[in-house]
């Protein structure tokens, strides 16, 4: 994985939102910490964060949280982008997003308020895992 990271870092700015999200997700799933890659991903993501859809936003912050890689600017950019499109998030995406913010101790009350407003009317559609993640984040 180190070889992959070294190959990706110089070209990460050519990746689209989905490719960026997929890349960090694979590293997080494999529990492979590569700080230089995650910093490069954050730097490449912030300028194009508006092109991220709900799933890419949720997956990106979830990956950063899984490997405990802090990047406040990225989390702020994700929150700012997510709030206006919060109704496009799946229940899993809502739960994963706020859970990532909570795990990283990255407070963003406006995001949590938006998730709560979006989640309450559809609470009966949450899977047990999504509900657990969401409730845990608000605890």
């Amino acid at each position: 994985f180190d070889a992959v990271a070294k190959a990706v870092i110089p070209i990460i700015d050519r990746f689209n939102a989905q490719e960026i999200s997929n890349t960090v997700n694979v590293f997080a799933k494999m529990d492979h910490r590569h700080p230089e890659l995650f910093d490069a991903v954050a730097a490449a993501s912030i300028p194009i964060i508006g092109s991220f859809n709900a799933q890419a936003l949720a997956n990106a912050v979830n990956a950063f949280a899984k490997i405990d890689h802090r990047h406040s600017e990225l989390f702020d950019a994700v929150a700012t982008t997510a709030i206006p499109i919060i109704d496009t998030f799946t229940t899993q995406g809502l739960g994963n997003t706020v859970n990532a913010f909570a795990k990283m101790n990255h407070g963003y009350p406006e995001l949590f308020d938006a998730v709560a407003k979006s989640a309450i009317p559809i609470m009966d559609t949450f899977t047990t895992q999504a509900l657990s993640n969401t409730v845990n984040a608000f605890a």
Side-chain angles (χ1 to χ4, degrees), residues 103-116:
K103 182 176 181 185
M104 300 304 288
N105 292 316
H106 191 90
Y108 209 101
E110 298 88 351
L111 175 65
F112 280 74
D113 289 347
V115 168

Side-chain angles (χ1 to χ4, degrees), residues 2-137:
D2 285 337
V4 172
K6 287 178 183 175
V8 167
I9 290 169
I11 61 168
I12 194 68
D13 60 333
R14 296 186 216 156
F15 284 35
N16 65 33
Q18 188 65 51
E19 293 163 341
I20 288 172
S21 176
N22 289 347
T23 300
V24 290
N25 258 325
V26 169
F27 276 79
K29 283 182 184 179
M30 298 304 294
D31 195 28
H32 190 85
R33 288 160 171 72
H34 198 288
E36 295 85 7
L37 173 67
F38 277 74
D39 285 342
V41 162
S45 298
I46 293 168
I48 64 164
I49 202 75
S51 69
F52 280 57
N53 64 19
Q55 182 179 359
L57 291 168
N59 288 346
V61 290
N62 194 44
F64 273 71
K66 277 185 181 178
I67 65 153
D68 196 28
H69 188 89
R70 300 185 189 287
H71 201 287
S72 294
E73 295 86 4
L74 176 65
F75 274 66
D76 286 346
V78 167
T80 309
T81 304
I83 292 168
I85 64 165
I86 204 71
D87 290 335
T88 67
F89 278 67
T90 63
T91 56
Q92 180 181 354
L94 291 170
N96 287 350
T97 301
V98 290
N99 199 43
F101 274 74
K103 182 176 181 185
M104 300 304 288
N105 292 316
H106 191 90
Y108 209 101
E110 298 88 351
L111 175 65
F112 280 74
D113 289 347
V115 168
K117 285 179 186 174
S118 181
I120 290 170
I122 59 169
M123 193 68 67
D124 61 332
T125 67
F126 276 63
T127 64
T128 55
Q129 184 64 53
L131 184 59
S132 174
N133 284 347
T134 305
V135 170
N136 182 55

